[in-house]
Amino acid sequence: MLFFDDGPALDNDVAAHSHVETQLTWYIPRDGTHIPPATLIIPALVPHSRGRRNSDGILVLHVSPPVLATTADELLGIPAVELMAGATQDPALAQLGASVAREVQCAWRENLFLDSLSHAVAEHLVRRHARTHTLRRAGRRKEALTLRQLNRLRELVESRLEDAPSITEMAIALEMDASQFTRLLKWSTRLGPHGYVTERRIDRAKDLLGHANLPLVDIALAVGFSSQSHFTATFRRRTGMTPGAFRRQLSST
């Protein structure tokens, strides 16, 4: 589960409660500053209440027990970890929070995005915020996806850009579990699953932009973006120019 709330702060905190998921809460300044968001880690079954300062937006992510357990087993060789609860100024988590807040405000709620975020957060929590680092699996060599696996993955993703396969579907296609797939994909491409799919979408969009008769909104939807505005923002971040500018550059060459 993921939600973002930047409305007025609650007068009173919601009554204390707990849940089986691990919760990450980011308090994100709404005043236009670039202060990294503070992050609060709440392990599963730890009672807590909800509230924030008037100047903050709040972003909440729940990481399910299976995702955390699979990640712990893959990275440490054990099925469970004890997370260190409390506020942290971890720069990596702060960056994740800031990036996700931008995406959510663009109304980008694709399941793959949420899956990728959950796995990225779970991996970072296990690596940096667990009490069991000394139990890390010893002697594991650094692995990577084979060329055949990368080609199979590309074929799968490019055949489903409008409705991207989930992390589980991609992992099954490569005959591995989701955590192992995510780790090997990062080692092989320096991209997580969502980033990989986004790269494939941008590559397809570049091809389609060569057809001057295709409206930008049609290209955006054809490659799986939810709107032209989100397509434009993502394309600019990835290439340094807008789709329109890229099209004009193509036509001038």
Side-chain angles (χ1 to χ4, degrees):
M1 184 183 78
L2 173 71
F3 71 85
F4 180 70
D5 178 7
D6 63 351
L10 300 174
D11 292 333
N12 296 300
D13 289 353
V14 173
H17 62 287
S18 65
H19 33 71
V20 297
E21 300 89 359
T22 294
Q23 176 172 311
L24 268 78
T25 302
W26 288 274
Y27 297 100
I28 301 174
R30 293 183 294 168
D31 57 6
T33 65
H34 297 285
I35 301 172
T39 310
L40 179 64
I41 301 172
I42 304 173
L45 304 178
V46 173
H48 59 280
S49 58
R50 178 186 164 206
R52 66 176 188 274
R53 298 182 296 273
N54 287 326
S55 59
D56 292 332
I58 184 171
L59 176 71
V60 173
L61 172 71
H62 286 174
V63 180
S64 70
V67 168
L68 197 61
T70 301
T71 302
D73 186 53
E74 174 67 25
L75 295 179
L76 305 179
I78 55 176
V81 291
E82 179 187 357
L83 296 179
M84 295 179 282
T88 175
Q89 292 296 325
D90 184 320
L93 288 180
Q95 182 59 45
L96 274 171
S99 299
V100 173
R102 287 194 299 269
E103 296 286 348
V104 170
Q105 290 177 84
C106 289
W108 189 241
R109 302 288 185 121
E110 187 181 44
N111 288 335
L112 176 60
F113 174 68
L114 181 56
D115 280 350
S116 298
L117 173 63
S118 296
H119 281 85
V121 167
E123 180 175 334
H124 190 77
L125 290 177
V126 169
R127 289 185 184 278
R128 303 298 181 191
H129 295 275
R131 300 184 187 278
T132 51
H133 295 302
T134 56
L135 299 178
R136 189 178 303 275
R137 185 180 290 159
R140 188 183 66 195
R141 65 183 179 88
K142 191 172 184 177
E143 302 169 278
L145 296 175
T146 65
L147 181 60
R148 181 178 180 181
Q149 288 173 319
L150 286 170
N151 288 337
R152 173 72 186 101
L153 178 63
R154 178 185 282 268
E155 291 173 0
L156 172 63
V157 170
E158 291 186 348
S159 70
R160 291 182 52 185
L161 289 179
E162 291 185 68
D163 179 25
S166 67
I167 292 177
T168 299
E169 289 176 299
M170 288 187 273
I172 289 174
L174 273 57
E175 300 181 343
M176 58 186 67
D177 64 49
S179 181
Q180 182 187 27
F181 163 70
T182 300
R183 176 172 55 82
L184 296 188
L185 181 66
K186 286 182 180 178
W187 282 348
S188 303
T189 68
R190 297 186 179 181
L191 295 168
H194 183 255
Y196 180 83
V197 171
T198 299
E199 285 293 298
R200 302 283 71 75
R201 284 172 165 158
I202 295 298
D203 285 347
R204 177 71 61 81
K206 288 178 178 178
D207 291 338
L208 294 177
L209 285 167
H211 301 278
N213 60 322
L214 287 176
L216 294 182
V217 65
D218 290 348
I219 293 175
L221 298 177
V223 300
F225 289 98
S226 60
S227 66
Q228 183 179 334
S229 62
H230 189 259
F231 168 51
T232 298
T234 303
F235 194 94
R236 179 185 289 144
R237 285 202 302 270
R238 299 277 176 164
T239 68
M241 63 179 70
T242 66
F246 183 85
R247 169 175 275 172
R248 290 190 292 273
Q249 183 182 77
L250 286 179
S251 64
S252 66
T253 57

mmCIF file of all heavy atoms in Angstrom, residues 214-247:
data_model
loop_
_atom_site.group_PDB
_atom_site.id
_atom_site.type_symbol
_atom_site.label_atom_id
_atom_site.label_comp_id
_atom_site.label_asym_id
_atom_site.label_seq_id
_atom_site.Cartn_x
_atom_site.Cartn_y
_atom_site.Cartn_z
ATOM 1 N N LEU A 214 2.044 11.254 -35.545
ATOM 2 C CA LEU A 214 1.517 10.691 -34.301
ATOM 3 C C LEU A 214 1.485 11.762 -33.216
ATOM 4 O O LEU A 214 2.533 12.302 -32.842
ATOM 5 C CB LEU A 214 2.387 9.517 -33.829
ATOM 6 C CG LEU A 214 2.286 8.211 -34.612
ATOM 7 C CD1 LEU A 214 3.284 7.203 -34.057
ATOM 8 C CD2 LEU A 214 0.868 7.638 -34.523
ATOM 9 N N PRO A 215 0.305 12.093 -32.651
ATOM 10 C CA PRO A 215 0.235 13.060 -31.553
ATOM 11 C C PRO A 215 1.004 12.549 -30.335
ATOM 12 O O PRO A 215 1.077 11.332 -30.085
ATOM 13 C CB PRO A 215 -1.270 13.159 -31.255
ATOM 14 C CG PRO A 215 -1.944 12.667 -32.495
ATOM 15 C CD PRO A 215 -1.027 11.623 -33.071
ATOM 16 N N LEU A 216 1.564 13.456 -29.563
ATOM 17 C CA LEU A 216 2.356 13.070 -28.384
ATOM 18 C C LEU A 216 1.520 12.289 -27.388
ATOM 19 O O LEU A 216 2.022 11.359 -26.746
ATOM 20 C CB LEU A 216 2.956 14.320 -27.729
ATOM 21 C CG LEU A 216 4.001 15.072 -28.545
ATOM 22 C CD1 LEU A 216 4.527 16.261 -27.749
ATOM 23 C CD2 LEU A 216 5.149 14.157 -28.943
ATOM 24 N N VAL A 217 0.251 12.657 -27.229
ATOM 25 C CA VAL A 217 -0.579 11.947 -26.256
ATOM 26 C C VAL A 217 -0.776 10.496 -26.676
ATOM 27 O O VAL A 217 -0.801 9.591 -25.827
ATOM 28 C CB VAL A 217 -1.935 12.661 -26.057
ATOM 29 C CG1 VAL A 217 -2.773 12.640 -27.338
ATOM 30 C CG2 VAL A 217 -2.704 12.027 -24.900
ATOM 31 N N ASP A 218 -0.885 10.243 -27.990
ATOM 32 C CA ASP A 218 -1.038 8.861 -28.464
ATOM 33 C C ASP A 218 0.232 8.060 -28.226
ATOM 34 O O ASP A 218 0.186 6.871 -27.869
ATOM 35 C CB ASP A 218 -1.388 8.850 -29.950
ATOM 36 C CG ASP A 218 -2.793 9.358 -30.229
ATOM 37 O OD1 ASP A 218 -3.568 9.506 -29.264
ATOM 38 O OD2 ASP A 218 -3.105 9.612 -31.406
ATOM 39 N N ILE A 219 1.377 8.686 -28.420
ATOM 40 C CA ILE A 219 2.644 8.008 -28.147
ATOM 41 C C ILE A 219 2.761 7.693 -26.660
ATOM 42 O O ILE A 219 3.167 6.589 -26.278
ATOM 43 C CB ILE A 219 3.824 8.881 -28.616
ATOM 44 C CG1 ILE A 219 3.825 9.001 -30.136
ATOM 45 C CG2 ILE A 219 5.159 8.301 -28.137
ATOM 46 C CD1 ILE A 219 4.886 9.940 -30.690
ATOM 47 N N ALA A 220 2.403 8.659 -25.821
ATOM 48 C CA ALA A 220 2.469 8.454 -24.373
ATOM 49 C C ALA A 220 1.671 7.230 -23.955
ATOM 50 O O ALA A 220 2.150 6.364 -23.206
ATOM 51 C CB ALA A 220 1.965 9.696 -23.645
ATOM 52 N N LEU A 221 0.435 7.137 -24.443
ATOM 53 C CA LEU A 221 -0.435 6.016 -24.065
ATOM 54 C C LEU A 221 0.037 4.709 -24.689
ATOM 55 O O LEU A 221 -0.061 3.649 -24.067
ATOM 56 C CB LEU A 221 -1.873 6.317 -24.481
ATOM 57 C CG LEU A 221 -2.512 7.536 -23.815
ATOM 58 C CD1 LEU A 221 -3.918 7.772 -24.358
ATOM 59 C CD2 LEU A 221 -2.551 7.378 -22.290
ATOM 60 N N ALA A 222 0.572 4.788 -25.904
ATOM 61 C CA ALA A 222 1.010 3.576 -26.596
ATOM 62 C C ALA A 222 2.174 2.897 -25.890
ATOM 63 O O ALA A 222 2.313 1.671 -25.949
ATOM 64 C CB ALA A 222 1.407 3.910 -28.035
ATOM 65 N N VAL A 223 3.026 3.675 -25.217
ATOM 66 C CA VAL A 223 4.184 3.076 -24.542
ATOM 67 C C VAL A 223 3.951 2.879 -23.048
ATOM 68 O O VAL A 223 4.869 2.497 -22.328
ATOM 69 C CB VAL A 223 5.460 3.903 -24.780
ATOM 70 C CG1 VAL A 223 5.770 3.989 -26.262
ATOM 71 C CG2 VAL A 223 5.353 5.296 -24.177
ATOM 72 N N GLY A 224 2.733 3.163 -22.573
ATOM 73 C CA GLY A 224 2.401 2.792 -21.205
ATOM 74 C C GLY A 224 2.376 3.890 -20.171
ATOM 75 O O GLY A 224 2.204 3.608 -18.988
ATOM 76 N N PHE A 225 2.532 5.160 -20.578
ATOM 77 C CA PHE A 225 2.426 6.247 -19.614
ATOM 78 C C PHE A 225 0.960 6.600 -19.401
ATOM 79 O O PHE A 225 0.129 6.456 -20.309
ATOM 80 C CB PHE A 225 3.214 7.475 -20.080
ATOM 81 C CG PHE A 225 4.697 7.285 -20.013
ATOM 82 C CD1 PHE A 225 5.421 6.928 -21.149
ATOM 83 C CD2 PHE A 225 5.380 7.427 -18.817
ATOM 84 C CE1 PHE A 225 6.793 6.733 -21.098
ATOM 85 C CE2 PHE A 225 6.760 7.232 -18.746
ATOM 86 C CZ PHE A 225 7.461 6.885 -19.888
ATOM 87 N N SER A 226 0.651 7.092 -18.216
ATOM 88 C CA SER A 226 -0.740 7.353 -17.871
ATOM 89 C C SER A 226 -1.260 8.644 -18.464
ATOM 90 O O SER A 226 -2.469 8.839 -18.572
ATOM 91 C CB SER A 226 -0.900 7.395 -16.343
ATOM 92 O OG SER A 226 -0.083 8.417 -15.793
ATOM 93 N N SER A 227 -0.366 9.555 -18.861
ATOM 94 C CA SER A 227 -0.777 10.840 -19.403
ATOM 95 C C SER A 227 0.381 11.440 -20.193
ATOM 96 O O SER A 227 1.543 11.043 -20.039
ATOM 97 C CB SER A 227 -1.184 11.810 -18.288
ATOM 98 O OG SER A 227 -0.059 12.147 -17.490
ATOM 99 N N GLN A 228 0.063 12.427 -21.030
ATOM 100 C CA GLN A 228 1.112 13.108 -21.786
ATOM 101 C C GLN A 228 2.039 13.876 -20.859
ATOM 102 O O GLN A 228 3.249 13.933 -21.089
ATOM 103 C CB GLN A 228 0.495 14.066 -22.806
ATOM 104 C CG GLN A 228 1.532 14.770 -23.680
ATOM 105 C CD GLN A 228 0.909 15.692 -24.703
ATOM 106 O OE1 GLN A 228 -0.227 15.504 -25.115
ATOM 107 N NE2 GLN A 228 1.654 16.725 -25.120
ATOM 108 N N SER A 229 1.493 14.453 -19.778
ATOM 109 C CA SER A 229 2.328 15.249 -18.875
ATOM 110 C C SER A 229 3.355 14.377 -18.174
ATOM 111 O O SER A 229 4.518 14.777 -18.016
ATOM 112 C CB SER A 229 1.456 15.979 -17.850
ATOM 113 O OG SER A 229 0.738 15.060 -17.047
ATOM 114 N N HIS A 230 2.955 13.179 -17.764
ATOM 115 C CA HIS A 230 3.926 12.301 -17.106
ATOM 116 C C HIS A 230 4.952 11.781 -18.094
ATOM 117 O O HIS A 230 6.139 11.661 -17.772
ATOM 118 C CB HIS A 230 3.234 11.137 -16.419
ATOM 119 C CG HIS A 230 4.162 10.334 -15.569
ATOM 120 N ND1 HIS A 230 4.689 9.139 -15.975
ATOM 121 C CD2 HIS A 230 4.702 10.585 -14.346
ATOM 122 C CE1 HIS A 230 5.500 8.667 -15.041
ATOM 123 N NE2 HIS A 230 5.540 9.520 -14.049
ATOM 124 N N PHE A 231 4.519 11.490 -19.314
ATOM 125 C CA PHE A 231 5.445 11.095 -20.376
ATOM 126 C C PHE A 231 6.484 12.186 -20.607
ATOM 127 O O PHE A 231 7.688 11.927 -20.663
ATOM 128 C CB PHE A 231 4.650 10.820 -21.656
ATOM 129 C CG PHE A 231 5.478 10.686 -22.897
ATOM 130 C CD1 PHE A 231 6.577 9.833 -22.944
ATOM 131 C CD2 PHE A 231 5.159 11.409 -24.038
ATOM 132 C CE1 PHE A 231 7.339 9.697 -24.105
ATOM 133 C CE2 PHE A 231 5.907 11.282 -25.201
ATOM 134 C CZ PHE A 231 6.998 10.433 -25.229
ATOM 135 N N THR A 232 6.025 13.433 -20.705
ATOM 136 C CA THR A 232 6.933 14.551 -20.953
ATOM 137 C C THR A 232 7.932 14.718 -19.819
ATOM 138 O O THR A 232 9.135 14.888 -20.045
ATOM 139 C CB THR A 232 6.135 15.856 -21.134
ATOM 140 O OG1 THR A 232 5.278 15.720 -22.278
ATOM 141 C CG2 THR A 232 7.064 17.048 -21.333
ATOM 142 N N ALA A 233 7.448 14.647 -18.562
ATOM 143 C CA ALA A 233 8.337 14.816 -17.410
ATOM 144 C C ALA A 233 9.379 13.705 -17.349
ATOM 145 O O ALA A 233 10.564 13.963 -17.096
ATOM 146 C CB ALA A 233 7.516 14.848 -16.121
ATOM 147 N N THR A 234 8.956 12.461 -17.601
ATOM 148 C CA THR A 234 9.887 11.331 -17.545
ATOM 149 C C THR A 234 10.878 11.385 -18.701
ATOM 150 O O THR A 234 12.076 11.150 -18.521
ATOM 151 C CB THR A 234 9.115 10.003 -17.587
ATOM 152 O OG1 THR A 234 8.175 9.972 -16.512
ATOM 153 C CG2 THR A 234 10.064 8.822 -17.455
ATOM 154 N N PHE A 235 10.392 11.705 -19.891
ATOM 155 C CA PHE A 235 11.259 11.794 -21.061
ATOM 156 C C PHE A 235 12.325 12.862 -20.851
ATOM 157 O O PHE A 235 13.503 12.645 -21.173
ATOM 158 C CB PHE A 235 10.419 12.119 -22.304
ATOM 159 C CG PHE A 235 11.142 11.913 -23.604
ATOM 160 C CD1 PHE A 235 11.034 10.710 -24.284
ATOM 161 C CD2 PHE A 235 11.921 12.916 -24.169
ATOM 162 C CE1 PHE A 235 11.698 10.509 -25.494
ATOM 163 C CE2 PHE A 235 12.591 12.727 -25.358
ATOM 164 C CZ PHE A 235 12.484 11.513 -26.031
ATOM 165 N N ARG A 236 11.941 14.008 -20.278
ATOM 166 C CA ARG A 236 12.901 15.084 -20.038
ATOM 167 C C ARG A 236 13.957 14.644 -19.023
ATOM 168 O O ARG A 236 15.150 14.937 -19.192
ATOM 169 C CB ARG A 236 12.183 16.340 -19.550
ATOM 170 C CG ARG A 236 13.139 17.501 -19.250
ATOM 171 C CD ARG A 236 12.391 18.670 -18.649
ATOM 172 N NE ARG A 236 11.551 19.332 -19.621
ATOM 173 C CZ ARG A 236 10.362 19.853 -19.357
ATOM 174 N NH1 ARG A 236 9.846 19.741 -18.141
ATOM 175 N NH2 ARG A 236 9.676 20.469 -20.292
ATOM 176 N N ARG A 237 13.536 13.957 -17.951
ATOM 177 C CA ARG A 237 14.509 13.495 -16.951
ATOM 178 C C ARG A 237 15.497 12.509 -17.558
ATOM 179 O O ARG A 237 16.672 12.496 -17.191
ATOM 180 C CB ARG A 237 13.786 12.842 -15.768
ATOM 181 C CG ARG A 237 13.102 13.809 -14.831
ATOM 182 C CD ARG A 237 12.884 13.186 -13.458
ATOM 183 N NE ARG A 237 12.103 11.961 -13.515
ATOM 184 C CZ ARG A 237 10.787 11.897 -13.434
ATOM 185 N NH1 ARG A 237 10.087 13.017 -13.320
ATOM 186 N NH2 ARG A 237 10.158 10.748 -13.479
ATOM 187 N N ARG A 238 15.026 11.660 -18.451
ATOM 188 C CA ARG A 238 15.878 10.612 -19.002
ATOM 189 C C ARG A 238 16.769 11.096 -20.143
ATOM 190 O O ARG A 238 17.852 10.540 -20.357
ATOM 191 C CB ARG A 238 15.001 9.450 -19.500
ATOM 192 C CG ARG A 238 14.165 8.783 -18.434
ATOM 193 C CD ARG A 238 14.939 7.757 -17.671
ATOM 194 N NE ARG A 238 14.160 7.183 -16.580
ATOM 195 C CZ ARG A 238 14.466 6.074 -15.940
ATOM 196 N NH1 ARG A 238 15.550 5.412 -16.279
ATOM 197 N NH2 ARG A 238 13.722 5.636 -14.949
ATOM 198 N N THR A 239 16.313 12.090 -20.907
ATOM 199 C CA THR A 239 17.048 12.485 -22.112
ATOM 200 C C THR A 239 17.550 13.920 -22.081
ATOM 201 O O THR A 239 18.376 14.299 -22.912
ATOM 202 C CB THR A 239 16.158 12.322 -23.362
ATOM 203 O OG1 THR A 239 15.089 13.296 -23.314
ATOM 204 C CG2 THR A 239 15.560 10.927 -23.445
ATOM 205 N N GLY A 240 17.028 14.730 -21.162
ATOM 206 C CA GLY A 240 17.434 16.127 -21.100
ATOM 207 C C GLY A 240 16.658 17.038 -22.024
ATOM 208 O O GLY A 240 16.981 18.229 -22.128
ATOM 209 N N MET A 241 15.637 16.503 -22.704
ATOM 210 C CA MET A 241 14.805 17.341 -23.569
ATOM 211 C C MET A 241 13.377 16.808 -23.582
ATOM 212 O O MET A 241 13.133 15.659 -23.204
ATOM 213 C CB MET A 241 15.366 17.390 -24.996
ATOM 214 C CG MET A 241 15.391 16.052 -25.725
ATOM 215 S SD MET A 241 16.048 16.197 -27.419
ATOM 216 C CE MET A 241 17.769 16.543 -27.054
ATOM 217 N N THR A 242 12.446 17.627 -23.998
ATOM 218 C CA THR A 242 11.051 17.203 -24.079
ATOM 219 C C THR A 242 10.852 16.340 -25.320
ATOM 220 O O THR A 242 11.667 16.384 -26.260
ATOM 221 C CB THR A 242 10.108 18.408 -24.162
ATOM 222 O OG1 THR A 242 10.343 19.094 -25.405
ATOM 223 C CG2 THR A 242 10.308 19.355 -22.988
ATOM 224 N N PRO A 243 9.759 15.550 -25.375
ATOM 225 C CA PRO A 243 9.488 14.772 -26.592
ATOM 226 C C PRO A 243 9.367 15.650 -27.830
ATOM 227 O O PRO A 243 9.841 15.277 -28.911
ATOM 228 C CB PRO A 243 8.155 14.084 -26.266
ATOM 229 C CG PRO A 243 8.136 13.990 -24.777
ATOM 230 C CD PRO A 243 8.805 15.237 -24.296
ATOM 231 N N GLY A 244 8.733 16.824 -27.687
ATOM 232 C CA GLY A 244 8.611 17.725 -28.828
ATOM 233 C C GLY A 244 9.956 18.196 -29.344
ATOM 234 O O GLY A 244 10.200 18.233 -30.562
ATOM 235 N N ALA A 245 10.855 18.541 -28.423
ATOM 236 C CA ALA A 245 12.192 18.976 -28.825
ATOM 237 C C ALA A 245 12.964 17.836 -29.478
ATOM 238 O O ALA A 245 13.701 18.033 -30.454
ATOM 239 C CB ALA A 245 12.950 19.506 -27.612
ATOM 240 N N PHE A 246 12.797 16.626 -28.950
ATOM 241 C CA PHE A 246 13.465 15.456 -29.530
ATOM 242 C C PHE A 246 12.963 15.231 -30.954
ATOM 243 O O PHE A 246 13.747 14.935 -31.862
ATOM 244 C CB PHE A 246 13.199 14.225 -28.671
ATOM 245 C CG PHE A 246 13.908 12.981 -29.132
ATOM 246 C CD1 PHE A 246 15.212 12.733 -28.752
ATOM 247 C CD2 PHE A 246 13.255 12.066 -29.949
ATOM 248 C CE1 PHE A 246 15.872 11.581 -29.183
ATOM 249 C CE2 PHE A 246 13.902 10.920 -30.391
ATOM 250 C CZ PHE A 246 15.212 10.676 -30.000
ATOM 251 N N ARG A 247 11.642 15.360 -31.161
ATOM 252 C CA ARG A 247 11.067 15.181 -32.497
ATOM 253 C C ARG A 247 11.623 16.229 -33.470
ATOM 254 O O ARG A 247 11.955 15.914 -34.610
ATOM 255 C CB ARG A 247 9.553 15.257 -32.426
ATOM 256 C CG ARG A 247 8.864 15.340 -33.783
ATOM 257 C CD ARG A 247 7.353 15.285 -33.624
ATOM 258 N NE ARG A 247 6.909 13.912 -33.557
ATOM 259 C CZ ARG A 247 5.648 13.547 -33.266
ATOM 260 N NH1 ARG A 247 4.743 14.485 -32.975
ATOM 261 N NH2 ARG A 247 5.290 12.285 -33.260
#
